[in-house]
Amino acid sequence: MSELIDQPITAHNEPEDTPELRALYDAFDAEHLIPLWKEIGDLMPMAPSSSAQPHLWRWSTLHPLAAKSGDLVPVGRGGERRAIALANPGLSGRPYATPTLWAAIQYLGPRETAPEHRHTQNAFRFVVEGEGVWTVVNGDPVAMRRGDFLLTPGWNFHGHHNDTDAPMAWIDGLDIPFVHYTDTAFFEFGPDEVSTRETPERSRAERLWCYPGLRPLSALEPQHNSPIPAYRWEYTDRALSEQLALEDEGFAVTVEPGHAAVRYTNPTTGADVMSTIRAEFHRVRAGHQTAGRREVGSAVFQVFNGEGTVVLGDVEHRVGTGDLFVVPSWVTLSVQAETELDLFRFSDTPIFERLHQDRVEVDRTDGSRS
Ligand code: 1HN
């Protein structure tokens, strides 16, 4: 496959450079026309060649800058959130981690609140450290703690409040660039204050939905977004450690030897949590290296715990807890765990699966691809 992709395009029909031809091209320019024969290489690459770059942001850099923003920049109506976006160096200074995905570190100081609003963009939070903030989704307060994955699907009102004397930071993921390019964004302000300052252990939606394999008979219809507002670390951790324990007992339940993984899913359909965003959690045993893998669509990873090396295309990065990195479309990723390595991953794959544009290649141990 790659031999074919690497073949250069040879020009067959180069027209003769004459004054008439130049006049034709000037007329194209003047009339906002572009001939295909000058652009085809870029419009129809042999394989995806993203302008987004593989890039790494270190938590040890991000967190102090977010904390400094906490000192200097108030949070409130207008700016809406104290969120600092990862801007991919290949994406022309836009606040986009990938062509489709927004990723940011958000910071809320002691007793602060972030006002309510709603938008058509799908959003989630993932917590790598700390606790004490409740995100209020449609009036339902949802506690945020280390390792939790929290959903705010499109068009749900949401605000946040910090109920403690300590600041808290987390990451936000949204489909903002996708919604921007497709001109499908709507936004509405809600109350300037969060609608409740309650701080329950469990939200109402968790009390209704969070029992494995059990659904309320009042809600048997499929819903396109997951009704679960928080996927708690206790269960993610247990699911992964049990996969590895079962592997130790001789059962082939992992994605590859030494690599346990789960996908967060919508319990009403079994599909992804939201229509545009896939989220997964991966645990790689100490000393193991994952097979190189590339897929159509882009992904962002956050190291949740541990240390290792990620190989992104032909560049290696050492990574540790909290570090974030971007994997653009069709760039090969392999992960080498030095200690046991826990990785949170999100991607835009559901979009491309729906459109039947999805493709994956995994390196086999004999060096070939499948
Ligand atoms: C938003 O509503 C949140 O609710 C985070 O925490 C980041 C970035 C752009 C627009 C809205 C949040 C956002 C956002």
Side-chain angles (χ1 to χ4, degrees):
M1 185 111 180
S2 47
E3 302 82 59
L4 282 178
I5 286 167
D6 293 339
Q7 277 181 13
I9 304 169
T10 46
H12 300 289
N13 301 313
E14 274 297 333
E16 203 185 325
D17 183 8
T18 60
E20 250 186 312
L21 185 75
R22 290 187 180 208
L24 176 66
Y25 285 177
D26 288 347
F28 286 159
D29 268 354
E31 296 298 328
H32 304 284
L33 299 168
I34 299 173
L36 173 63
W37 60 86
K38 292 185 87 178
E39 296 283 327
I40 188 146
D42 190 37
L43 291 175
M44 300 223 161
M46 303 310 249
S49 163
S50 186
S51 45
Q53 291 172 21
H55 196 80
L56 176 87
W57 290 261
R58 295 199 184 281
W59 192 245
S60 59
T61 308
L62 291 175
H63 192 269
L65 291 172
K68 193 72 191 169
S69 310
D71 295 339
L72 300 178
V73 185
V75 63
R77 194 87 288 166
E80 300 297 292
R81 300 291 183 260
R82 192 187 289 113
I84 304 145
L86 310 183
N88 191 293
L91 296 177
S92 313
R94 299 291 298 172
Y96 302 158
T98 83
T100 52
L101 297 169
W102 160 289
I105 178 171
Q106 185 169 162
Y107 190 91
L108 205 55
R111 309 287 163 192
E112 279 186 329
T113 66
E116 293 208 358
H117 62 214
R118 67 176 174 177
H119 39 69
T120 45
Q121 290 89 347
N122 289 309
F124 73 80
R125 340 257 156 232
F126 180 73
V127 183
V128 76
E129 63 182 31
E131 60 183 16
V133 169
W134 273 255
T135 180
V136 181
V137 184
N138 283 331
D140 190 11
V142 186
M144 296 173 62
R145 305 183 200 96
R146 175 174 153 77
D148 295 343
F149 170 64
L150 306 121
L151 296 188
T152 315
W155 216 237
N156 289 290
F157 277 108
H158 58 285
H160 318 306
H161 72 89
N162 185 337
D163 187 58
T164 72
D165 293 321
M168 183 179 170
W170 62 88
I171 63 158
D172 297 309
L174 293 92
D175 53 10
I176 290 175
F178 175 73
V179 169
H180 177 78
Y181 290 128
T182 51
D183 295 327
T184 48
F186 292 87
F187 181 95
E188 266 181 22
F189 292 114
D192 287 354
E193 271 297 310
V194 280
S195 53
T196 169
R197 290 265 193 143
E198 290 170 312
T199 57
E201 269 294 295
R202 271 157 70 80
S203 58
R204 294 193 291 277
E206 287 171 271
R207 289 164 58 201
L208 183 61
W209 279 100
C210 295
Y211 313 96
L214 300 175
R215 274 175 82 175
L217 283 200
S218 58
L220 292 176
E221 292 299 312
Q223 301 179 25
H224 57 267
N225 294 311
S226 171
I228 295 179
Y231 294 73
R232 298 295 178 193
W233 173 240
E234 173 192 356
Y235 301 111
T236 312
D237 184 32
R238 184 74 182 267
L240 294 161
S241 61
E242 291 289 12
Q243 278 187 23
L244 293 178
L246 286 163
E247 182 177 61
D248 283 336
E249 292 162 32
F251 300 98
V253 295
T254 51
V255 272
E256 59 185 332
H259 176 184
V262 288
R263 181 168 301 162
Y264 299 95
T265 55
N266 173 346
T268 76
T269 58
D272 288 290
V273 284
M274 297 183 291
S275 53
T276 52
I277 297 178
R278 170 163 296 171
E280 296 176 347
F281 204 104
H282 294 252
R283 175 170 291 170
V284 186
R285 283 188 202 269
H288 275 249
Q289 173 161 13
T290 64
R293 177 189 171 89
R294 59 178 175 177
E295 23 182 307
V296 162
S298 52
V300 180
F301 285 73
Q302 186 174 34
V303 178
F304 180 68
N305 199 25
E307 281 177 23
T309 304
V310 296
V311 188
L312 273 167
D314 44 23
V315 182
E316 272 190 35
H317 297 280
R318 277 199 54 80
V319 293
T321 301
D323 295 351
L324 289 135
F325 57 92
V326 161
V327 187
S329 187
W330 216 237
V331 169
T332 302
L333 169 72
S334 164
V335 175
Q336 253 174 288
E338 194 172 298
T339 65
E340 182 173 86
L341 193 59
D342 275 357
L343 298 164
F344 172 76
R345 171 187 193 271
F346 66 102
S347 73
D348 54 13
T349 321
I351 300 172
F352 305 112
E353 286 185 354
R354 280 290 175 88
L355 301 176
H356 306 289
Q357 301 288 0
D358 54 308
R359 228 189 245 226
V360 179
E361 266 185 15
V362 182
D363 291 343
R364 289 194 294 239
T365 44
D366 63 5
S368 65
R369 290 197 155 134
S370 67

